[in-house]
Amino acid sequence: MATTYEKESKLLQQIAPLVENDLPGVEVLAIELMTPTRFCVYVDHPAGVDHALCKQVTDSLRDFLREYTIDVSSPGIERPVRKPQHFANVVGRKVALRTAAPVDGRSKFKGEVKEAGTEALTVSIDGADVDIPYEAIVRGNLIDER
């Protein structure tokens, strides 16, 4: 039986190209399963995310409404970060990460992104640098530092 993260990954692989092709400029940042029959699509657009854009994203996912209730959301202040480019854009900022399997004996991390390489990112946690492979990350969000 597939894990929640495997289901999210499969949905992301199906949904991101569909939405990004239908709506130029829209980036699908993440998909999160809220329940087995409900998911949230986090999207961003250079001009911002408003109600009209959320409706357009929902319309482009019409076929998924047979199986799922769909929420569409802007990234918000604790923006999802999952892809190498997302991490490259937030070097110097704090993130909260979760990995599918332990890395250095743990699967939850909070720290500052020091470097975003091609295969892994380096996060400084309590003064120690930890390298985390992108493929291990199942959740990642900016930490609001206001």
Side-chain angles (χ1 to χ4, degrees):
M1 186 164 177
T3 68
T4 298
Y5 308 118
E6 290 167 339
K7 291 176 189 174
E8 288 173 346
S9 179
K10 183 178 178 186
L11 282 168
L12 182 64
Q13 289 172 3
Q14 295 171 328
I15 288 171
L18 181 65
V19 170
E20 291 170 1
N21 285 332
D22 285 353
L23 303 168
V26 171
E27 180 185 8
V28 176
L29 299 173
I31 305 279
E32 292 184 5
L33 276 169
M34 313 309 264
T35 70
T37 59
R38 181 183 195 133
F39 65 81
C40 184
V41 181
Y42 292 92
V43 296
D44 202 4
H45 187 276
V49 177
D50 60 12
H51 182 74
L53 181 62
C54 291
K55 182 185 180 315
Q56 290 177 306
V57 171
T58 302
D59 289 345
S60 74
L61 298 175
R62 191 69 50 208
D63 290 345
F64 288 87
L65 289 171
R66 291 188 210 118
E67 287 184 63
Y68 296 97
T69 300
I70 301 171
D71 298 332
V72 180
S73 179
S74 66
I77 56 176
E78 293 192 345
R79 158 186 211 90
V81 286
R82 306 289 199 284
K83 301 174 186 174
Q85 186 58 46
H86 296 165
F87 290 105
N89 292 340
V90 299
V91 169
R93 297 192 56 197
K94 290 187 179 177
V95 295
L97 304 172
R98 190 175 324 151
T99 57
V103 174
D104 283 357
R106 59 196 284 184
S107 57
K108 291 183 179 181
F109 304 86
K110 282 188 180 181
E112 180 183 330
V113 177
K114 290 299 210 180
E115 185 179 334
T118 57
E119 302 294 322
L121 72 142
T122 303
V123 179
S124 178
I125 303 166
D126 299 325
D129 288 350
V130 179
D131 293 329
I132 303 170
Y134 295 119
E135 66 184 24
I137 299 169
V138 293
R139 286 269 194 282
N141 292 83
L142 282 178
I143 295 175
D144 180 22
E145 296 181 284
R146 287 188 284 158

